[in-house]
Amino acid sequence: MAQNSRKPGYELVKGFFKENPVLVQLLGICSVLAVSNTVVNSISMGVSVLFVLFFSSLVIGLIKDLIPNEVRIPAYIVVIATFVTVADLFLKAKFPDISKALGAYIPLIVVNCIILARQEAFTKKNKLLPSILDAIGMGTGYIITILLMGIIREILGFGSIFGVKIFGSWFKPILVMILPPGAFLTLAMLIGFMNFITRKSEEKKL
Amino acid sequence: MRPLIIFVAAAITNNFILTYFLGLCPFLGVSARVSSAIGMGFAATFVMTMTAIITNLVDHLILRPLHLEFLQMIVFIFVIAVLVQFVEMVIKKTSPSLYKALGIFLPLITTNCIVLGLALLGAMRNYNLIENTFFGFGAGVGFTIALLLISGIREELEVRDVPKALKGAPITLIIAGLMAFAFMGFSGIISLQ
Amino acid sequence: MKNEFRMVIVLTLIITIAGCLLAYTYVSTQDDIQRNLENSMRTALLSVVEGVESYENIALDEKTSVLKAKDSNGNVIGYGVMITGGGFQGDIKLMVGFDKDASAVLGIEVLENVETPGLGNRIIEDWFKKQFEGAIPPIEVLKGQKPQNRSQIEAITGATISSKSVANIVNNAHKALETYLGSGGGGESAGRGEEEILEYFEKRWPEKRLIKKGTYYVINDKSGQSISYGIFSEGVEGGDTVKIFMTVSKNFSKIEDIVIMNGSEVSVDKEKLDELQKRLIGESLPLSSSNVEVVTGATIIEDGVVSAVNKGFEALKKELK
């Protein structure tokens, strides 16, 4: 599996489903569970992660040859933390409501395993362009997953989507979906579903 | 009284794993064996209590007087990384047997969101040194409790028939979900005033 | 060795650049962040006190600040108290509106909360917030009963603790406001006022001593010689009560010192009050409105002060004869 020989297009799309960071690699679960109770929160968190992932991969891709191997992890974390703080301040300044809703979880992107893991597993060993494509792909995969969670949980838990009620008064929201247990159960089902599909397609190949 | 309430809240009612979803990586990775869950739990509790004390001091004695709150994240990460290294060295020198038991878990803790989350939450809530110490200790105890419970259940599950697609992470998450449900029953035994 | 040196250099360089970038972002976003805070505060204040044109923000401590709401003429029409207190899951931040007597709640607005969605979180629903309109603190929370009077509200079903927390925070807001205004109701307030005055005097003239004699005070110099008299007094003008403390020379001829106190419902700012106080010192008694030079923008309060001074003067004369 020589990663360098793969087509750039593949680096981009692999993160969407096949190597989805959350559903397949089980990275960054913490934030997916925490802020996916509404669609708006999901999108904001997803975009923030994509932003941080993109710029971290860009900067680390540029300077990786200058960093001695022994201190690479602290160096990566500083770069990531910088962009996370930038994103945090930006949201506070321009989108105070979203910043309030996401609360403590924006700063925690810094320890979101997706970002550090991609630097370790990919950016470190690859050229700049594939690294950036990988970052965009993984970020998008993260957005897809968290958005899916947000849609499911908001519809079932609030009976609304984007804050707009979509059912009549007959619908009693399933409160637990927006509470922590609902987050665990929804993600478990999504990962299970993903496993199911992967297994089926592998069986077909055989 | 207040430090005690903070302790119970962090350990039980607002359990870090089950309500804040912090520290899920070891939860999914390490939690398959009761013995390793205990090791991880103790190591994490120790590091978290120390982190709570030191980040609180750094925050109140250095960052706030100088109005450098925006550097909190970077500074905290460094403090944690240095702390874990230091703890590792000290344990290695003083108690080889303890090092053997905890050693492998320590590096895992540095990049664990539960520790940084603890430092940031404590700073956000303006806890003082004593409150933050109890907060860190409580969070560690809560983490250990959740990890222990789930590893016990998972050891049992290994010999049970779980649907193939749900094996591994999904079934752990389902258990966590049910545990979060159960822990919701504790909410209300105390209230932060 | 060379490699270790490089390690340190590279890390230091990265941290320095990161620090600079962060400092730059921080500085360039501060204005917006500050403005957002202002905006959310203003919006909340407008929704709890009607007809606010401007306000003055006084921070009492980290978790509490009092906002003096003023109409277009600069008169105080009510107060907003922005206060953070503990809820069920974490902190709840409220804006509580009070009328200008600080006796009834005008309304509440929830600025921040992390209560359980769908349960405790229902404190943000209008029907719950409306219950506080016109309520008289201390507010009591009833579980499953309809409120009987204006000091009771009904708890949210299944979220009694969140409901109680909100009522509790509102009550704390009321206490904080009363303490700030120095009018804790009845005898207590006089006590507080006196303490403040005593402190004030100790600071201003360390060599003088105030001795309470019934309703008035005798002021001694350090050798124990009585040199002047002091008295608390109140005057009413245009519906506003003005509280003062003044000291009068031994021959009852002029005002030696005067303090216009906290708790006066005055709608002028501190500088003008200070100016007024300065002008009154040394004035001969009894005062007439015409022989006090008018401080621009403080006419109404001046009349109140004048009536308070004269009342105090009369009371003092009566006591000592």
Side-chain angles (χ1 to χ4, degrees):
Chain A
M1 274 244 278
Q3 279 171 319
N4 289 330
S5 64
R6 285 186 191 156
K7 284 195 189 105
Y10 176 76
E11 305 298 357
L12 182 65
V13 296
K14 68 169 193 263
F16 294 0
F17 290 104
K18 195 154 181 283
E19 291 180 30
N20 186 295
V22 184
L23 298 178
V24 178
Q25 301 178 54
L26 304 180
L27 298 170
I29 287 176
C30 153
S31 56
V32 169
L33 291 170
V35 296
S36 61
N37 54 1
T38 66
V39 177
V40 174
N41 287 357
S42 300
I43 294 174
S44 324
M45 188 68 186
V47 173
S48 306
V49 168
L50 177 61
F51 166 85
V52 176
L53 188 52
F54 176 78
F55 281 100
S56 304
S57 289
L58 177 68
V59 171
I60 292 170
L62 283 172
I63 62 170
K64 63 170 192 265
D65 296 333
L66 302 172
I67 304 171
N69 202 36
E70 294 84 356
V71 291
R72 64 173 199 285
I73 300 276
Y76 292 172
I77 292 182
V78 172
V79 173
I80 297 168
T82 307
F83 286 112
V84 173
T85 312
V86 169
D88 187 30
L89 288 170
F90 177 77
L91 280 180
K92 267 192 195 141
K94 301 292 175 196
F95 301 101
D97 291 340
I98 292 173
S99 163
K100 228 177 257 170
L102 300 182
Y105 291 97
I106 290 284
L108 288 179
I109 297 177
V110 94
V111 274
N112 188 321
C113 336
I114 294 183
I115 296 164
L116 195 60
R118 287 330 286 173
Q119 309 314 324
E120 269 289 277
F122 200 87
T123 311
K124 200 177 81 184
K125 307 175 199 146
N126 288 279
K127 292 215 176 69
L128 186 61
L129 184 67
S131 302
I132 292 174
L133 290 176
D134 175 78
I136 297 174
M138 288 297 159
T140 313
Y142 178 86
I143 293 180
I144 292 173
T145 317
I146 196 168
L147 194 57
L148 216 55
M149 290 273 293
I151 292 171
I152 296 173
R153 292 180 67 195
E154 188 173 341
I155 290 180
L156 295 177
F158 286 113
S160 65
I161 195 149
F162 286 105
V164 182
K165 292 258 180 282
I166 50 168
F167 296 117
S169 54
W170 55 269
F171 181 76
K172 266 270 192 224
I174 308 161
L175 262 186
V176 74
M177 291 307 288
I178 46 174
L179 298 176
F184 282 114
L185 297 179
T186 314
L187 186 64
M189 288 306 154
L190 282 181
I191 297 177
F193 186 64
M194 195 72 193
N195 287 349
F196 182 73
I197 294 176
T198 324
R199 258 173 11 102
K200 280 278 174 252
S201 68
E202 268 165 19
E203 272 167 19
K204 243 183 223 165
K205 272 184 209 157
L206 295 171
Chain B
M1 194 57 202
R2 194 173 145 80
L4 209 66
I5 291 176
I6 289 173
F7 172 81
V8 178
I12 310 277
T13 55
N14 288 357
N15 188 289
F16 267 49
I17 291 186
L18 299 174
T19 57
Y20 296 140
F21 313 103
L22 296 171
L24 277 166
C25 295
F27 196 66
L28 296 175
V30 184
S31 64
R33 287 266 164 275
V34 172
S35 53
S36 53
I38 294 176
M40 182 73 187
F42 275 113
T45 307
F46 182 68
V47 171
M48 284 163 78
T49 314
M50 294 297 289
T51 302
I53 295 171
I54 293 173
T55 53
N56 191 272
L57 290 176
V58 170
D59 195 28
H60 283 92
L61 298 181
I62 302 173
L63 293 180
R64 292 191 188 198
L66 297 175
H67 297 288
L68 292 175
E69 285 96 341
F70 61 95
L71 292 180
Q72 255 173 5
M73 202 186 309
I74 291 191
V75 173
F76 285 179
I77 288 183
F78 254 82
V79 169
I80 294 166
V82 172
L83 181 74
V84 173
Q85 284 290 322
F86 181 73
V87 169
E88 198 178 343
M89 266 160 49
V90 170
I91 295 183
K92 206 173 181 178
K93 282 257 160 63
T94 55
S95 163
S97 60
L98 191 65
Y99 179 74
K100 230 177 172 181
L102 300 187
I104 47 161
F105 300 111
L106 286 172
L108 283 175
I109 295 169
T110 318
T111 49
N112 187 338
C113 45
I114 198 167
V115 186
L116 183 69
L118 168 89
L120 291 172
L121 277 175
M124 219 181 264
R125 294 181 185 173
N126 278 322
Y127 285 154
N128 63 31
L129 183 59
I130 296 170
E131 289 170 347
N132 213 36
T133 311
F134 276 84
F135 183 56
F137 185 52
V141 170
F143 177 76
T144 314
I145 293 175
L147 209 58
L148 256 179
L149 287 175
I150 205 137
S151 60
I153 298 174
R154 279 183 74 176
E155 276 191 357
E156 281 295 306
L157 271 178
E158 266 171 31
V159 293
R160 299 289 188 277
D161 196 16
V162 177
K164 273 193 191 124
L166 293 182
K167 274 209 166 116
I171 194 72
T172 312
L173 287 171
I174 290 176
I175 299 167
L178 295 177
M179 272 170 58
F181 236 143
F183 269 63
M184 276 174 66
F186 287 117
S187 56
I189 56 170
I190 49 139
S191 63
L192 290 166
Q193 287 299 345
Chain C
M1 194 59 216
K2 201 183 152 237
N3 195 28
E4 275 163 26
F5 183 66
R6 207 177 128 213
M7 259 160 58
V8 176
I9 293 286
V10 170
L11 261 190
T12 318
L13 209 67
I14 292 177
I15 293 173
T16 317
I17 295 172
C20 292
L21 183 65
L22 280 185
Y24 173 75
T25 320
Y26 178 74
V27 170
S28 54
T29 49
Q30 262 325 281
D31 286 351
D32 278 336
I33 293 175
Q34 219 51 48
R35 196 171 332 125
N36 290 336
L37 272 178
E38 283 282 323
N39 278 347
S40 67
M41 198 156 79
R42 171 179 291 269
T43 321
L45 183 66
L46 287 180
S47 72
V48 295
V49 183
E50 258 176 59
V52 182
E53 284 294 326
S54 63
Y55 66 90
E56 192 186 326
N57 183 6
I58 305 119
L60 298 184
D61 58 50
E62 268 175 42
K63 294 189 162 179
T64 327
S65 47
V66 169
L67 291 95
K68 274 190 193 168
K70 296 172 183 173
D71 65 9
S72 47
N73 297 326
N75 298 321
V76 173
I77 50 173
Y79 297 93
V81 179
M82 198 160 69
I83 182 166
T84 308
F88 182 57
Q89 294 272 5
D91 281 347
I92 299 177
K93 190 173 176 187
L94 294 183
M95 172 71 79
V96 190
F98 291 97
D99 61 3
K100 67 186 172 97
D101 308 321
S103 59
V105 178
L106 293 176
I108 65 166
E109 194 56 57
V110 181
L111 289 165
E112 281 167 31
N113 85 92
V114 286
E115 301 304 281
T116 321
L119 287 169
N121 191 251
R122 291 179 66 199
I123 57 171
I124 63 169
E125 288 180 7
D126 280 339
W127 72 268
F128 182 73
K129 290 189 291 190
K130 274 226 165 62
Q131 294 193 85
F132 286 89
E133 286 173 16
I136 298 182
I139 293 163
E140 189 193 353
V141 178
L142 300 179
K143 205 172 159 182
Q145 286 171 20
K146 289 280 164 226
Q148 304 292 319
N149 60 45
R150 283 168 71 199
S151 292
Q152 293 176 332
I153 61 146
E154 196 186 345
I156 299 164
T157 320
T160 319
I161 296 180
S162 296
S163 314
K164 277 188 179 162
S165 304
V166 172
N168 217 347
I169 296 167
V170 170
N171 292 339
N172 286 339
H174 183 239
K175 271 183 219 150
L177 181 61
E178 279 192 328
T179 311
Y180 167 70
L181 295 174
S183 59
E188 205 191 339
S189 80
R192 197 187 343 261
E194 279 164 30
E195 269 166 38
E196 271 168 25
I197 292 299
L198 290 175
E199 250 172 54
Y200 169 81
F201 255 86
E202 270 164 27
K203 271 191 207 131
R204 187 149 171 182
W205 285 308
E207 71 275 15
K208 288 187 185 173
R209 210 140 279 145
L210 256 79
I211 297 153
K212 192 169 181 177
K213 301 257 172 172
T215 56
Y216 67 100
Y217 290 80
V218 176
I219 294 146
N220 289 348
D221 63 9
K222 59 176 180 245
S223 61
Q225 203 76 35
S226 70
I227 47 171
S228 51
Y229 303 105
I231 192 158
F232 284 99
S233 179
E234 279 184 19
V236 182
E237 188 59 49
D240 286 349
T241 312
V242 180
K243 291 184 186 171
I244 59 151
F245 179 78
M246 61 169 183
T247 66
V248 175
S249 60
K250 224 178 163 182
N251 57 9
F252 294 109
S253 67
K254 57 181 200 224
I255 304 177
E256 277 197 343
D257 197 359
I258 179 162
V259 191
I260 299 167
M261 290 166 60
N262 272 354
S264 304
E265 286 150 5
V266 290
S267 40
V268 286
D269 44 53
K270 211 175 161 307
E271 287 147 44
K272 286 190 177 141
L273 270 187
D274 286 344
E275 202 183 331
L276 184 62
Q277 273 168 207
K278 247 184 247 152
R279 283 199 193 166
L280 285 168
I281 292 173
E283 282 293 331
S284 49
L285 286 164
L287 285 176
S288 74
S289 294
S290 53
N291 67 17
V292 182
E293 202 185 327
V294 169
V295 178
T296 328
T299 330
I300 293 184
I301 163 130
E302 245 171 60
D303 293 344
V305 172
V306 168
S307 89
V309 167
N310 288 340
K311 253 174 46 191
F313 178 58
E314 290 304 321
L316 204 53
K317 268 207 298 203
K318 224 191 231 150
E319 280 290 335
L320 286 162
K321 279 208 169 130

